[in-house]
Amino acid sequence: MEVLEKIKEGSVTADTVLCLALDIGEGMLKSGGEVSRVESTIERICRAYGAVHVEVFSIISVINATVHMADGTQSAQMRRIRTTGTNMYRLELFNEISREICQATPAIDEANARVRAAKQRFAYPQWAVLPASAVAASMFAVFFGGGVTEALVALLIGALLGMIDLLASNRVNELAKTVVAAFVAGILSAASALLITGADSGVIMIGTIMLLVPGVAFGTALRDLLCGDLIAGGLKTVQACLAALMIAFGYLLSMAVMGGAI
């Protein structure tokens, strides 16, 4: 009843409801959410604010949605998604907001404020990417049979890869950034074998390459495929495979430069 009264008062309109729902859906998709969950979330939010009919279609690069309200008004909007990634912290924030909307139906302005705040929040400071990348590469080198030498070299290369990720502009193509990171890691791995007696460049390469492998993205793609979202799942699979090919291309370039050192 409260929602119907707000619709009659004009504080809740088809445009504002759909815009809010798409803001949340866009945030989820950019953070690595499954397409089926994004579509379901947008529909549930619209219905929580009084929509009687909702149609949503989403792939990894665009969201199309149409909503029909109880007063007969309707709205159709589209969101272009230019970049996607994996940010489980922000994804959980958007999930939390959507659940609260479906349970309590807060005012549109309040919900919009929560969404804007979620877009600005980070699970950890950006500088933490450097030590995290370094430690992860080092541990992977040990996991794949490396010793102290390989772990230390992988530690340094991992920190450098984290720095490349931080310093690269958001406008830089992700595949190009992957090629550069793989090339740098390959060159440094080979150089370590030449400069440090007994260092295994292969183990160091394997340890550092794990930072670039799109494992989560590929898993999400398979889930979309199994859920019946063939277009979105297929596109994500192609995207993940392209990233893997760019990793291989970067390391092949380093092998061509360094020759038999790898």
Side-chain angles (χ1 to χ4, degrees):
M1 293 298 293
E2 292 182 2
V3 173
L4 291 176
E5 290 177 0
K6 291 180 180 179
I7 294 175
K8 293 178 181 179
E9 293 173 359
S11 58
V12 173
T13 66
D15 286 335
T16 58
V17 168
L18 187 54
C19 185
L20 170 63
L22 286 177
D23 282 341
I24 296 175
E26 178 185 4
M28 294 175 63
L29 196 58
K30 284 183 174 180
S31 301
E34 299 91 350
V35 166
S36 57
R37 179 178 294 185
V38 171
E39 293 177 343
S40 175
T41 297
I42 293 174
E43 181 176 355
R44 289 174 183 270
I45 291 174
C46 291
R47 291 191 180 278
Y49 282 104
V52 295
H53 185 74
V54 184
E55 293 290 346
V56 186
F57 174 76
S58 175
I59 55 177
I60 61 173
S61 58
V62 69
I63 305 175
N64 278 302
T66 303
V67 61
H68 296 260
M69 304 299 289
D71 61 352
T73 59
Q74 62 183 32
S75 178
Q77 299 180 31
M78 181 185 75
R79 290 294 173 89
R80 177 73 168 89
I81 312 299
R82 301 191 181 279
T83 58
T84 58
T86 302
N87 190 327
M88 305 307 293
Y89 174 73
R90 193 167 291 172
L91 180 60
E92 177 56 31
L93 288 178
F94 286 118
N95 279 330
E96 181 181 348
I97 294 172
S98 66
R99 286 192 292 267
E100 290 182 2
I101 288 175
C102 293
Q103 293 174 0
T105 319
I108 293 289
D109 291 341
E110 179 184 345
N112 281 325
R114 290 283 308 278
V115 172
R116 288 193 297 269
K119 290 180 179 180
Q120 302 300 321
R121 291 178 62 182
F122 296 91
Y124 44 80
Q126 287 189 309
W127 59 263
V129 172
L130 297 181
S133 299
V135 172
S138 178
M139 293 300 100
F140 276 122
V142 174
F143 178 80
F144 288 108
V148 176
T149 301
E150 287 77 14
L152 291 176
V153 175
L155 184 81
L156 297 176
I157 298 176
L160 181 59
L161 294 183
M163 187 176 298
I164 291 175
D165 185 58
L166 286 179
L167 296 180
S169 170
N170 291 331
R171 296 182 180 180
V172 176
N173 184 279
E174 287 294 324
L175 295 180
K177 187 166 65 175
T178 300
V179 172
V180 172
F183 176 75
V184 171
I187 290 290
L188 295 179
S189 298
S192 67
L194 295 176
L195 298 175
I196 304 174
T197 303
D200 189 339
S201 62
V203 171
I204 298 171
M205 287 178 63
I206 294 174
T208 55
I209 200 175
M210 294 302 294
L211 299 178
L212 306 174
V213 173
V216 176
F218 188 71
T220 303
L222 291 180
R223 178 168 180 173
D224 282 335
L225 287 172
L226 294 175
C227 289
D229 296 309
L230 300 182
I231 297 177
L235 290 174
K236 285 185 178 180
T237 301
V238 171
Q239 190 178 48
C241 290
L242 280 175
L245 286 174
M246 292 304 101
I247 295 171
F249 181 64
Y251 275 100
L252 283 174
L253 285 178
S254 67
M255 292 175 66
V257 172
M258 300 302 294
I262 299 180

